[in-house]
Coordinates of all heavy atoms in Angstrom, one line a residue:
R173 N 1.4 11.1 -7.2 CA 2.5 10.7 -6.4 C 3.8 10.5 -7.2 O 3.8 10.1 -8.4 CB 2.2 9.3 -5.7 CG 3.3 8.4 -5.3 CD 2.7 7.4 -4.3 NE 3.4 6.2 -4.3 CZ 4.7 6.0 -3.8 NH1 5.4 7.0 -3.3 NH2 5.2 4.8 -3.8
I174 N 4.9 11.0 -6.6 CA 6.3 10.8 -7.3 C 7.0 9.8 -6.4 O 7.4 10.1 -5.3 CB 7.1 12.1 -7.4 CG1 6.2 13.2 -8.1 CG2 8.4 11.8 -8.1 CD1 6.9 14.5 -8.2
P175 N 7.2 8.6 -6.8 CA 7.9 7.6 -6.0 C 9.4 8.0 -5.8 O 10.0 8.6 -6.7 CB 7.8 6.3 -6.8 CG 6.9 6.5 -7.9 CD 6.8 8.0 -8.1
E176 N 9.9 7.6 -4.7 CA 11.3 7.8 -4.4 C 12.2 6.7 -5.1 O 13.3 7.0 -5.4 CB 11.5 7.7 -2.9 CG 12.7 8.3 -2.3 CD 12.6 8.5 -0.8 OE1 12.0 7.6 -0.1 OE2 13.1 9.5 -0.3
N177 N 11.6 5.6 -5.3 CA 12.3 4.5 -5.9 C 12.8 4.8 -7.3 O 12.0 5.2 -8.1 CB 11.4 3.3 -5.9 CG 12.0 2.0 -6.5 OD1 12.5 2.0 -7.6 ND2 12.1 1.0 -5.6
E178 N 14.1 4.7 -7.5 CA 14.7 5.1 -8.7 C 14.3 4.3 -9.9 O 14.1 4.8 -11.0 CB 16.3 4.9 -8.6 CG 16.9 5.7 -7.5 CD 17.3 7.1 -7.9 OE1 17.2 7.4 -9.1 OE2 17.6 7.9 -7.0
I179 N 14.0 3.0 -9.7 CA 13.6 2.1 -10.8 C 12.2 2.6 -11.2 O 11.9 2.7 -12.4 CB 13.5 0.7 -10.3 CG1 14.9 0.2 -9.8 CG2 12.9 -0.2 -11.3 CD1 14.8 -1.2 -9.1
A180 N 11.3 2.9 -10.3 CA 10.0 3.4 -10.6 C 10.1 4.7 -11.5 O 9.4 4.8 -12.5 CB 9.2 3.6 -9.4
R181 N 10.9 5.6 -11.0 CA 11.0 6.9 -11.7 C 11.6 6.7 -13.1 O 11.1 7.3 -14.1 CB 11.8 7.9 -10.9 CG 11.0 8.4 -9.7 CD 11.3 9.9 -9.4 NE 12.7 10.2 -9.3 CZ 13.5 9.9 -8.2 NH1 12.9 9.3 -7.2 NH2 14.7 10.2 -8.2
K182 N 12.6 5.8 -13.2 CA 13.2 5.6 -14.5 C 12.2 5.0 -15.5 O 12.1 5.4 -16.6 CB 14.4 4.7 -14.3 CG 15.3 4.5 -15.6 CD 16.6 3.9 -15.2 CE 17.4 3.6 -16.5 NZ 18.7 3.0 -16.2
L183 N 11.4 4.0 -15.0 CA 10.4 3.3 -15.8 C 9.4 4.4 -16.3 O 9.0 4.4 -17.5 CB 9.7 2.2 -15.0 CG 8.6 1.5 -15.7 CD1 9.2 0.6 -16.9 CD2 7.8 0.6 -14.8
I184 N 8.9 5.2 -15.4 CA 7.9 6.2 -15.7 C 8.4 7.2 -16.8 O 7.8 7.5 -17.8 CB 7.4 7.0 -14.5 CG1 6.7 6.0 -13.5 CG2 6.4 8.1 -14.9 CD1 6.5 6.6 -12.1
R185 N 9.7 7.6 -16.5 CA 10.3 8.6 -17.4 C 10.4 8.0 -18.8 O 10.1 8.6 -19.8 CB 11.6 9.0 -16.9 CG 12.0 10.4 -17.1 CD 13.2 10.8 -16.3 NE 13.0 11.4 -15.0 CZ 13.6 11.1 -13.9 NH1 14.6 10.2 -13.9 NH2 13.3 11.7 -12.8
L186 N 10.9 6.7 -18.9 CA 11.1 6.1 -20.2 C 9.8 5.9 -20.9 O 9.7 5.9 -22.1 CB 11.8 4.7 -20.0 CG 13.3 4.7 -19.7 CD1 13.8 3.4 -19.2 CD2 14.1 5.2 -20.9
S187 N 8.7 5.7 -20.1 CA 7.4 5.4 -20.8 C 6.8 6.7 -21.4 O 6.1 6.6 -22.4 CB 6.4 4.9 -19.7 OG 5.9 5.9 -19.0
G188 N 7.2 7.8 -20.9 CA 6.8 9.1 -21.5 C 5.3 9.4 -21.1 O 4.7 10.3 -21.7
C189 N 4.7 8.6 -20.2 CA 3.3 8.9 -19.9 C 3.1 8.9 -18.4 O 3.9 8.2 -17.7 CB 2.3 7.9 -20.5 SG 2.7 6.2 -20.3
P190 N 2.1 9.6 -17.8 CA 1.8 9.4 -16.4 C 1.3 7.9 -16.2 O 0.6 7.4 -17.1 CB 0.7 10.4 -16.1 CG 0.2 10.8 -17.4 CD 1.2 10.5 -18.5

Side-chain angles (χ1 to χ4, degrees):
R173 154 160 153 73
I174 305 178
E176 197 164 37
N177 184 297
E178 304 274 350
I179 299 166
R181 287 215 306 282
K182 189 165 174 182
L183 177 72
I184 297 164
R185 219 172 263 137
L186 286 168
S187 78
C189 54

